[in-house]
Amino acid sequence: MSNTNEMKFDENIKKSLNLANNATAVTDATFKGLLENCFSVLTGLPEPHNVTNLYNSKPDLVKELYAALLSITAEFVRSGQKSDSIRDFLNKCGYNEAKISFYTDLYDRNREEIEGSLINVGSHLPHITDVTWKIDYIIKSSCVDASEGPLFRIGLQTEKYDSEIGGKKVELVNFTCDSQELQDLVYKLKDAVRHCQRIGSEH
Amino acid sequence: MLISLRNDHKEHLNLLTTQSVQVLIDFCKLAIDFLQNGPNLKLYTTAAEKLSVDLDAVQNCIYGLVNLLLLSCKYKLSEADFRDSILTLGFSSEQQTILHKFYESKKTEVARIITKLSVSEPHYDDLEWRFEVQVSSRALLHQVVPLMTLDLSLKTMKDDGSGYEKEHLLLQTDVNNLLHITQELEKALIESRSRHSRKIQRALNS
């Protein structure tokens, strides 16, 4: 697939990436360790390598490289790059074949998972995941001595990503309706379902 | 069913039993006016002078009539029940007819109002849906995510009973969950028409 997205990277990032070519600052083992940490973090898992162990003698250079690797990897996934365009890009950064292969290998293995993490970034409406219902019959009330019913108590369970706690927040939306209103609600929902089924079967 | 009035309530209405039909009609009109506009002390004072009784007696009488109306509506009395209930108060047959007309004229309105005064909870009003596909976001440029966006409007009775407060809830769901909740709610409808539910309904209505 031809990629029409031209990735524009800051010159500084390219300079930082170039540090990987500096064998005294960044050994092969360090580079591999950094990449493994990078892909791990972007998929939401903890870093497998203790970062201080990777520092060697030049911690600031290693940190700079790490930051640059994280940036470009996120950008690659974001714009949906394939291995070929990545290979070209890393070539221009002066990486040798070994480094490029290692990177593209990790990229192909982890791309889908990183896409999954990125898709959740952003604000969404509360998402309905479940519904509870119960049927009540009113025998009496303090105002009217008459029975009423059936009365349906519906609870819609919704999930919403809460950035404060960094996870899902479950909320219940409760409301009541009588038979006629529930019929109206179910009719409208079935209409929506029919629409989805029609779209799905149109191929 | 028969309602029985409290003793002081009976005493208040006692004043009317000895009056003429025309006076009773006037008092019913005053009671209706009280429902709509609140107490009108000037009219009550004039009435008190004409009948040579205290202003208090007239007021209590009006309140008594209104309370009789409220109790009858609360228990949803039929004509026979209503007449039997006021029989014990000592009203003549003509007066009973007038009081019954008074009850009939205001029955539906008052019944409607007092049902609104009961426990208020969010009540379903309407549902609008919109099918959409998310194609891109700032974090991920190439996506195809089908979504169903729902606008659920709920109405809740305001505290003073004056009307409904409507709130619109924007929610979303995916096709699988949509199907799931539709099926669940349909089950609820079917359950309400089942034999068990019908038995209970019959038992409550009898």
Side-chain angles (χ1 to χ4, degrees):
Chain A
M1 156 189 133
S2 68
N3 208 327
T4 49
N5 297 327
E6 268 304 323
M7 287 177 297
K8 296 268 164 65
F9 282 115
D10 216 307
E11 276 313 307
N12 290 329
I13 296 227
K14 292 194 182 152
K15 266 200 282 184
S16 309
L17 288 173
N18 212 5
L19 289 170
N21 293 325
N22 182 341
T24 44
V26 181
T27 61
D28 248 3
T30 306
F31 183 72
K32 288 195 179 150
L34 285 178
L35 277 185
E36 278 167 1
N37 274 4
C38 164
F39 279 95
S40 202
V41 159
L42 287 176
T43 55
L45 298 169
E47 294 170 338
H49 302 286
N50 191 334
V51 140
T52 43
N53 290 342
L54 299 171
Y55 281 163
N56 305 330
S57 52
K58 304 264 172 69
D60 47 341
L61 295 179
V62 171
K63 279 191 219 175
E64 202 184 315
L65 175 61
Y66 188 36
L69 286 173
L70 283 168
S71 299
I72 62 163
T73 311
E75 183 55 35
F76 287 156
V77 179
R78 174 177 176 262
S79 49
Q81 302 297 335
K82 289 278 159 83
S83 305
D84 299 333
S85 32
I86 295 181
R87 193 168 277 272
D88 288 339
F89 177 80
L90 293 178
N91 244 327
K92 295 204 194 108
C93 294
Y95 281 17
N96 61 30
E97 185 51 41
K99 288 198 171 73
I100 295 182
S101 301
F102 193 69
Y103 186 92
T104 48
D105 186 49
L106 276 173
Y107 182 83
D108 288 333
R109 271 192 284 148
N110 287 299
R111 185 173 59 94
E112 272 188 32
E113 282 228 26
I114 303 182
E115 266 178 13
S117 325
L118 288 181
I119 233 180
N120 286 325
V121 173
S123 62
H124 298 112
L125 295 173
H127 196 100
I128 302 178
T129 48
D130 202 3
V131 66
T132 59
W133 55 264
K134 63 177 176 155
I135 307 182
D136 279 345
Y137 286 91
I138 297 185
I139 301 179
K140 222 189 223 209
S141 80
S142 63
C143 303
V144 180
D145 182 35
S147 60
E148 219 184 296
L151 217 52
F152 298 87
R153 315 259 183 206
I154 317 265
L156 289 174
Q157 184 179 322
T158 64
E159 287 177 2
K160 192 168 158 74
Y161 182 78
D162 190 336
S163 52
E164 261 180 43
I165 57 175
K168 289 193 295 207
K169 192 164 75 147
V170 175
E171 256 184 43
L172 271 181
V173 174
N174 291 318
F175 60 93
T176 321
C177 39
D178 60 37
S179 294
Q180 213 178 3
E181 288 162 345
L182 184 62
Q183 267 184 321
D184 181 58
L185 175 60
V186 171
Y187 177 74
K188 291 185 170 134
L189 286 173
K190 280 172 97 164
D191 200 23
V193 168
R194 254 197 309 267
H195 176 85
C196 291
Q197 287 172 335
R198 226 181 323 136
I199 291 187
S201 67
E202 251 167 33
H203 297 288
Chain B
M1 70 165 276
L2 291 181
I3 52 170
S4 60
L5 305 178
R6 289 194 339 237
N7 282 334
D8 51 355
H9 193 183
K10 286 190 200 170
E11 271 175 36
H12 295 158
L13 289 176
N14 229 349
L15 169 64
L16 289 175
T17 51
T18 50
Q19 302 300 331
S20 71
V21 163
Q22 186 54 44
V23 172
L24 187 57
I25 294 181
D26 287 337
F27 267 72
C28 285
K29 288 202 190 132
L30 284 177
I32 294 180
D33 180 66
F34 171 77
L35 280 176
Q36 283 170 343
N37 305 325
N40 187 335
L41 290 178
K42 248 188 14 186
L43 286 178
Y44 300 169
T45 331
T46 349
E49 277 168 18
K50 276 210 285 207
L51 299 174
S52 356
V53 288
D54 290 334
L55 171 63
D56 274 348
V58 170
Q59 258 193 314
N60 285 331
C61 208
I62 308 280
Y63 296 162
L65 280 174
V66 172
N67 260 316
L68 178 63
L69 176 66
L70 288 178
L71 280 175
S72 314
C73 288
K74 177 170 168 182
Y75 291 99
K76 294 203 177 173
L77 293 185
S78 66
E79 177 173 356
D81 285 341
F82 181 76
R83 280 180 178 252
D84 287 341
S85 305
I86 58 176
L87 190 62
T88 53
L89 299 172
F91 286 102
S92 74
S93 170
E94 255 188 50
Q95 293 174 319
Q96 282 178 22
T97 321
I98 295 176
L99 284 174
H100 178 67
K101 254 178 48 182
F102 165 61
Y103 170 52
E104 285 292 315
S105 67
K106 283 281 147 190
K107 186 166 70 163
T108 36
E109 206 183 311
V110 173
R112 196 164 34 93
I113 294 176
I114 50 183
T115 41
K116 288 185 184 178
L117 288 175
S118 60
V119 177
S120 83
E121 52 208 347
H123 206 93
Y124 165 78
D125 187 37
D126 197 11
L127 178 80
E128 303 236 350
W129 56 266
R130 178 177 80 191
F131 181 72
E132 45 189 50
V133 177
Q134 181 167 309
V135 296
S136 188
S137 77
R138 183 181 169 194
L140 189 60
L141 294 177
H142 305 297
Q143 299 176 32
V144 180
V145 184
L147 286 173
M148 188 61 86
T149 301
L150 305 169
D151 178 356
L152 179 67
S153 53
L154 301 175
K155 55 185 184 204
T156 313
M157 177 62 69
K158 286 200 268 208
D159 285 338
D160 54 8
S162 62
Y164 285 111
E165 212 173 85
K166 289 209 184 163
E167 73 174 299
H168 280 264
L169 289 170
L170 279 178
L171 305 165
Q172 81 182 41
T173 184
D174 53 82
V175 183
N176 281 331
N177 277 316
L178 179 69
L179 191 59
H180 169 62
I181 62 174
T182 310
Q183 286 170 340
E184 272 304 315
L185 291 177
E186 233 185 327
K187 274 194 225 166
L189 266 181
I190 292 173
E191 181 58 42
S192 76
R193 299 186 194 131
S194 73
R195 207 190 268 183
H196 179 69
S197 297
R198 285 195 199 277
K199 260 199 265 181
I200 295 185
Q201 240 180 320
R202 268 199 301 266
L204 287 180
N205 284 336
S206 60

